[in-house]
Amino acid sequence: LPLPSDVSWRFAQANFQPVDVADQLTALLTVEEIAACLELLPLIRRTEIFDYLPDGIQEAVAGVVSLDSLMELLEELPSDSAADLFNYLSPDQQADLLKDLPARNRATIQHLSSYPSGTAGALMTSEISLLPTGINVQRALEILRRTATGSETIYHTYIVDPRHRLVGVVSLRELILAPPKASLDKLMTEELVTILPDEHQQEAARLVSRYDLLALPVVDESQRLLGIITYDDAMDVVEEEDTEDIHLSASVAPLETGLLRTSLVNLYRSRVMWLILLIFANLVSGVGIAFFEDTISAKVALVFFLPLLIGSGGNAGAQASTLMVRGLAVGDVGLGDWTRLLGRELLVAGALGLTMAIAVSPIGMFRGGTDIALVVGLSMVVIVLFGSLLGMSLPFLLHRLKWDPATASTPLVTTLADAGGVVTYFALATWLLGLH
Amino acid sequence: LPLPSDVSWRFAQANFQPVDVADQLTALLTVEEIAACLELLPLIRRTEIFDYLPDGIQEAVAGVVSLDSLMELLEELPSDSAADLFNYLSPDQQADLLKDLPARNRATIQHLSSYPSGTAGALMTSEISLLPTGINVQRALEILRRTATGSETIYHTYIVDPRHRLVGVVSLRELILAPPKASLDKLMTEELVTILPDEHQQEAARLVSRYDLLALPVVDESQRLLGIITYDDAMDVVEEEDTEDIHLSASVAPLETGLLRTSLVNLYRSRVMWLILLIFANLVSGVGIAFFEDTISAKVALVFFLPLLIGSGGNAGAQASTLMVRGLAVGDVGLGDWTRLLGRELLVAGALGLTMAIAVSPIGMFRGGTDIALVVGLSMVVIVLFGSLLGMSLPFLLHRLKWDPATASTPLVTTLADAGGVVTYFALATWLLGLH
């Protein structure tokens, strides 16, 4: 895209999808330039593009534009995005804006911005297309045509009773195909998947994906309809939550923005805490080694197999914990499956341990004879079993304690399995080789 | 749900969503029982539930039902699911079915089942709602009403020229709101995001998510419309691909089905190959240690710090590779960002290494005096830098070689970083402590 000073920018951007323009702006321009570019555009286009800017850039742009521009954005954005933008502002800006906003927008924004980020409530939009009970299809289509511009989607319309309680849903497809005089109450579907506003956004995304919904209604305890979560927002949540889980799996704290846009300080912060903690966890292995210093001095050849043995325990543990963390995240396994999974893991890890013992024994034989081969092989079986059971149990334990199971990261499991591996190996060696 | 022998099952299941019934059947019953349960239901309901059964169960059920039942399923299923089912069948079954299928279904199934699994073509459905050019809105709505039952979605309708080339799209919302006499050609949107049938399904899902599409049209090189990929199928692909990447991150080969449904043999197979490979990679560390056996004998206290130092290099490397693999997977970073990311990683890993050296030096001082503290601190900086640069580079290299970057799994990076760590540590110790 040409630079913002160039008026031809206005023409150039019109050929691109809003998300692509937003990406280009973010990649190439400073915050002030982005704000200047946006000011050149008509309000609807400007709002579309702004809505696709990353959160951090939205926040920064909101800090440099005029209060009038902010007001226009807040009025034009879908209510869920407007509430997010509102939450980025300073308390002073918030107070100034609330004073001047039309009453209807003010109420919506205050309501939506009150839900903590990460909940279903914070994800929902209040631009819902609604119909009353007791009308026919023709009347329903008339109402839809009149109110369509204010709704995020009209493909599913929700039917509410006079107390605003959700009683059913009807799709535009059903309305179009039904005879005009048919009763809406007979046409609508009454079995609805819904969610409470304080549930986790991941649960909302899971429901949308599982039931192939276009939109998921959010209701309060008395079934009153508060808003809807659309499939595209649910898709964004899936990507966001998976990224968070994947980063946690390597002991990286969640990043607010993409890898290239995160500041070096934040990148450092997201990594340093776990690395330091793991140093101290690794000390346990060091203490284990120090305890067996006599064994090591008596048979230095044993150290040759140390990385291989403890590495294998850590790797098997990493596999087991990763399988379990993902299984819990996608709802594939639950707390009740614990005993069944334990039995399966015992069998699989036992078989893996035996296979690896067979693979490693010839090396033991070659480096130190039958004795060493026996110690190394036996250690392998015990260490792989220990690592695997640790790896599968830790996510369950964390889940039970209401922690994120993904905290059972590969480095954590590996480190703990290492400590167990060191002790197992040298204890078996001391005992079997009579080195004490 | 009651058992299949119980006729009340037919009534009980009617109160549940098809996906929930499919899950219950899978969890509680044998393949024969599932087939028997399905036979009790009317065709449409039976098909809906069958469509939600996991692939492996669909395949097994297809093996025990009659050819007539299969035929009914193939005719009733959405074309993408029918093509998948067809691919599960034996060549004999396929030939028998093709003979008896109506010509239209036969052509569709043969065409769709020809795309290899994992491509956009294999994901698409051919039940598209289509309109010709040169008509008005009223006529368009008439056509839609008449053809709606054969389409997977009518919310986006595609406009094709007489040679079946895609020229535009119109949403049902636009049709409903436009005056009946308006020209469809003026109303339609001509800028369309499309995909070729042989592209990877992950790219299709990325486009659907990025552009918030309800459906993504699949076209051939001459712009002829072949099918569409709907948002719900795209969501399933995102989950599937993320699961595959997460499993790979711990060196687990992709599983076909969920954790509880995978057979023990498959679970063993998905884990054993990498574990054995990593044993041999770990031998490098062992050889490194053997090479420095004299250093170790001269200063056994050095072994105390071995797990801690090589563990830290592995952990920092795991963080760096995980950040990079995910960044590449979501399209957040590209091959062109390599130099910029290398510079950033150097700075961040340098800072991390220094912090960790400072954290670990007092322990070195306490265990072995200034000399050991110096060796341990210096080794920490070098090892963390080495691990991090290795971790960030390996995914890039694999991506460049057209391998899946996720193959740069945490265990692989950890193992390679370990080997580098062993050599660095003992070499520095030998040199600084004058132990050679």
Side-chain angles (χ1 to χ4, degrees):
Chain A
L1 293 172
L3 277 175
S5 56
D6 192 331
V7 265
S8 69
W9 182 78
R10 251 184 296 177
F11 298 95
Q13 59 83 31
N15 296 318
F16 293 89
Q17 300 269 355
V19 60
D20 292 327
V21 179
D23 263 21
Q24 289 287 314
L25 291 174
T26 309
L28 300 174
L29 303 182
T30 66
V31 169
E32 286 75 16
E33 288 171 330
I34 295 175
C37 276
L38 289 177
E39 294 285 345
L40 292 174
L41 302 179
L43 179 59
I44 292 185
R45 180 75 177 165
R46 190 198 316 163
T47 311
E48 276 179 349
I49 296 173
F50 183 86
D51 203 9
Y52 277 110
L53 290 173
D55 296 354
I57 304 291
Q58 285 194 359
E59 189 172 349
V61 169
V64 300
V65 298
S66 68
L67 212 62
D68 284 350
S69 292
L70 272 184
M71 185 81 74
E72 284 180 338
L73 276 174
L74 281 180
E75 286 179 48
E76 186 62 28
L77 279 170
S79 59
D80 48 346
S81 305
D84 289 343
L85 173 59
F86 186 76
N87 278 332
Y88 299 146
L89 304 176
S90 68
D92 284 356
Q93 281 178 306
Q94 289 184 344
D96 283 350
L97 281 170
L98 282 183
K99 219 171 48 203
D100 293 341
L101 269 178
R104 208 179 58 91
N105 291 36
R106 183 166 56 220
T108 306
I109 286 182
Q110 278 186 309
H111 177 224
L112 287 182
S113 63
S114 69
Y115 292 104
S117 146
T119 62
L123 206 62
M124 72 187 177
T125 174
S126 58
E127 280 101 3
I128 326 168
S129 100
L130 290 181
L131 288 171
T133 53
I135 59 172
N136 66 22
V137 167
Q138 186 176 5
R139 179 89 188 97
L141 282 170
E142 280 166 24
I143 299 179
L144 275 190
R145 279 202 189 88
R146 228 181 40 229
T147 58
T149 42
S151 312
E152 186 136 334
T153 174
I154 60 165
Y155 298 136
H156 281 177
T157 301
Y158 298 91
I159 295 110
V160 289
D161 71 9
R163 299 180 54 193
H164 210 73
R165 281 182 307 210
L166 179 62
V167 292
V169 67
V170 67
S171 72
L172 187 53
R173 182 180 188 141
E174 290 164 324
L175 285 177
I176 294 278
L177 296 177
K181 296 290 171 208
S183 151
L184 183 62
D185 298 7
K186 292 222 177 91
L187 192 64
M188 71 184 183
T189 307
E190 288 172 73
E191 275 93 45
L192 279 177
V193 181
T194 60
I195 195 168
L196 291 170
D198 45 2
E199 293 232 37
H200 199 285
Q201 60 174 5
Q202 196 164 9
E203 175 63 13
R206 206 185 61 79
L207 290 175
V208 170
S209 166
R210 178 173 173 84
Y211 297 107
D212 294 338
L213 304 175
L214 265 174
L216 172 68
V218 183
V219 296
D220 67 12
E221 269 95 0
S222 348
Q223 273 300 101
R224 271 192 302 256
L225 183 60
L226 302 172
I228 56 168
I229 294 170
T230 53
Y231 76 95
D232 50 327
D233 289 337
M235 275 189 103
D236 292 344
V237 167
V238 169
E239 187 182 304
E240 189 187 311
E241 294 283 338
D242 281 352
T243 298
E244 206 174 297
D245 275 4
I246 288 172
H247 285 175
L248 262 182
S249 80
S251 300
V252 176
L255 299 173
E256 288 290 310
T257 48
L259 186 53
L260 272 168
R261 281 192 304 271
T262 306
S263 74
L264 291 179
V265 174
N266 282 338
L267 215 48
Y268 170 85
R269 277 211 207 112
S270 72
R271 293 171 61 178
V272 75
M273 193 206 49
W274 269 105
L275 286 180
I276 299 277
L277 276 177
L278 289 169
I279 287 188
F280 290 98
N282 262 314
L283 274 181
V284 180
S285 297
V287 172
I289 289 179
F291 184 77
F292 289 104
E293 243 168 39
D294 294 343
T295 305
I296 297 171
S297 297
K299 202 97 188 164
V300 178
L302 284 175
V303 188
F304 176 85
F305 295 97
L306 188 61
L308 186 159
L309 285 171
I310 65 177
S312 298
N315 293 340
Q319 291 181 332
S321 79
T322 302
L323 284 169
M324 218 50 73
V325 168
R326 184 63 179 168
L328 287 166
V330 299
D332 198 28
V333 298
L335 280 178
D337 299 317
W338 156 253
T339 36
R340 195 159 149 229
L341 284 163
L342 184 72
R344 285 166 64 92
E345 187 63 34
L346 268 172
L347 290 173
V348 173
L352 289 172
L354 277 177
T355 313
M356 293 162 76
I358 292 167
V360 86
S361 291
I363 309 169
M365 193 75 96
F366 173 74
R367 293 274 315 174
T370 326
D371 284 1
I372 298 278
L374 183 72
V375 170
V376 169
L378 203 58
S379 300
M380 185 62 101
V381 177
V382 177
I383 288 174
V384 168
L385 263 177
F386 171 75
S388 298
L389 294 182
L390 179 80
M392 76 144 289
S393 311
L394 206 53
F396 267 101
L397 185 70
L398 291 168
H399 190 54
R400 181 110 215 200
L401 300 172
K402 311 254 178 225
W403 279 46
D404 188 342
T407 316
S409 61
T410 299
L412 180 64
V413 168
T414 305
T415 303
L416 296 178
D418 280 3
V422 165
V423 175
T424 306
Y425 176 43
F426 288 127
L428 277 174
T430 311
W431 175 54
L432 288 173
L433 304 178
L435 292 175
H436 48 101
Chain B
L1 293 175
L3 277 175
S5 55
D6 192 331
V7 264
S8 69
W9 182 77
R10 250 184 298 177
F11 298 95
Q13 59 82 30
N15 296 318
F16 293 89
Q17 302 268 355
V19 60
D20 292 328
V21 179
D23 263 22
Q24 289 287 313
L25 291 176
T26 309
L28 300 175
L29 303 183
T30 66
V31 169
E32 286 74 16
E33 288 171 329
I34 296 175
C37 277
L38 288 177
E39 295 286 345
L40 292 174
L41 302 178
L43 179 58
I44 293 186
R45 180 75 176 166
R46 190 198 318 162
T47 313
E48 276 179 347
I49 296 173
F50 182 86
D51 203 9
Y52 277 109
L53 290 174
D55 296 355
I57 304 291
Q58 285 193 0
E59 190 172 347
V61 170
V64 299
V65 299
S66 68
L67 213 61
D68 284 350
S69 292
L70 272 183
M71 185 81 74
E72 284 181 338
L73 276 174
L74 280 180
E75 286 179 48
E76 186 62 29
L77 278 170
S79 59
D80 48 347
S81 305
D84 290 343
L85 173 59
F86 185 76
N87 279 332
Y88 299 146
L89 303 177
S90 69
D92 285 354
Q93 281 179 303
Q94 290 184 343
D96 283 350
L97 281 170
L98 282 183
K99 220 172 44 204
D100 294 340
L101 269 177
R104 210 180 56 93
N105 290 39
R106 183 168 57 221
T108 307
I109 286 181
Q110 278 187 309
H111 177 224
L112 288 182
S113 63
S114 68
Y115 292 104
S117 144
T119 62
L123 205 62
M124 73 188 177
T125 175
S126 57
E127 280 100 2
I128 326 168
S129 101
L130 290 179
L131 288 172
T133 53
I135 59 172
N136 66 24
V137 166
Q138 187 176 3
R139 179 90 187 97
L141 281 170
E142 280 167 25
I143 298 179
L144 275 190
R145 277 202 192 88
R146 226 181 40 228
T147 58
T149 41
S151 313
E152 185 136 335
T153 173
I154 60 165
Y155 298 136
H156 282 176
T157 301
Y158 299 90
I159 295 110
V160 289
D161 71 10
R163 298 180 54 194
H164 210 73
R165 281 182 308 210
L166 179 62
V167 293
V169 66
V170 68
S171 72
L172 187 53
R173 182 181 188 141
E174 289 164 325
L175 285 176
I176 294 279
L177 296 178
K181 296 289 170 207
S183 149
L184 184 62
D185 298 8
K186 292 220 177 90
L187 192 64
M188 72 183 183
T189 307
E190 287 173 73
E191 276 93 45
L192 278 178
V193 181
T194 62
I195 194 167
L196 292 170
D198 45 2
E199 293 232 37
H200 198 286
Q201 60 173 3
Q202 195 164 12
E203 176 62 13
R206 207 185 61 78
L207 290 175
V208 171
S209 166
R210 178 175 172 83
Y211 297 107
D212 294 338
L213 304 175
L214 264 173
L216 171 69
V218 183
V219 296
D220 68 11
E221 269 95 1
S222 348
Q223 274 297 105
R224 272 192 302 258
L225 184 60
L226 303 173
I228 55 168
I229 294 170
T230 52
Y231 75 95
D232 49 327
D233 289 336
M235 275 188 102
D236 292 343
V237 167
V238 169
E239 187 181 303
E240 188 187 313
E241 295 282 338
D242 281 352
T243 298
E244 203 174 300
D245 275 5
I246 288 172
H247 286 175
L248 263 181
S249 80
S251 299
V252 176
L255 298 175
E256 288 291 308
T257 48
L259 185 54
L260 272 168
R261 282 191 304 270
T262 307
S263 74
L264 291 179
V265 174
N266 283 337
L267 215 50
Y268 170 85
R269 277 211 208 113
S270 72
R271 293 172 63 178
V272 74
M273 193 204 52
W274 271 105
L275 286 179
I276 300 277
L277 276 178
L278 289 169
I279 287 187
F280 292 98
N282 262 315
L283 275 181
V284 179
S285 298
V287 170
I289 289 179
F291 183 79
F292 289 104
E293 243 169 37
D294 294 344
T295 305
I296 297 171
S297 298
K299 203 97 188 165
V300 178
L302 284 175
V303 189
F304 175 85
F305 294 97
L306 189 62
L308 184 160
L309 285 171
I310 66 177
S312 298
N315 292 340
Q319 291 182 331
S321 79
T322 301
L323 284 169
M324 218 51 71
V325 169
R326 184 64 179 167
L328 287 166
V330 299
D332 199 29
V333 300
L335 279 177
D337 300 316
W338 155 253
T339 36
R340 196 160 148 228
L341 284 163
L342 184 72
R344 285 166 62 92
E345 186 63 35
L346 268 173
L347 289 173
V348 172
L352 289 172
L354 277 176
T355 313
M356 292 162 77
I358 291 168
V360 86
S361 291
I363 309 169
M365 192 75 95
F366 173 73
R367 292 274 313 173
T370 327
D371 283 0
I372 298 279
L374 183 70
V375 170
V376 170
L378 202 58
S379 300
M380 184 61 101
V381 176
V382 176
I383 288 173
V384 168
L385 263 176
F386 172 75
S388 298
L389 294 181
L390 178 81
M392 77 145 288
S393 310
L394 206 53
F396 267 101
L397 185 69
L398 291 168
H399 189 53
R400 182 110 214 200
L401 300 173
K402 311 252 178 229
W403 278 45
D404 188 340
T407 317
S409 63
T410 300
L412 180 63
V413 169
T414 304
T415 302
L416 296 177
D418 280 2
V422 165
V423 175
T424 306
Y425 176 43
F426 287 127
L428 277 174
T430 311
W431 175 53
L432 287 173
L433 304 178
L435 293 176
H436 48 103

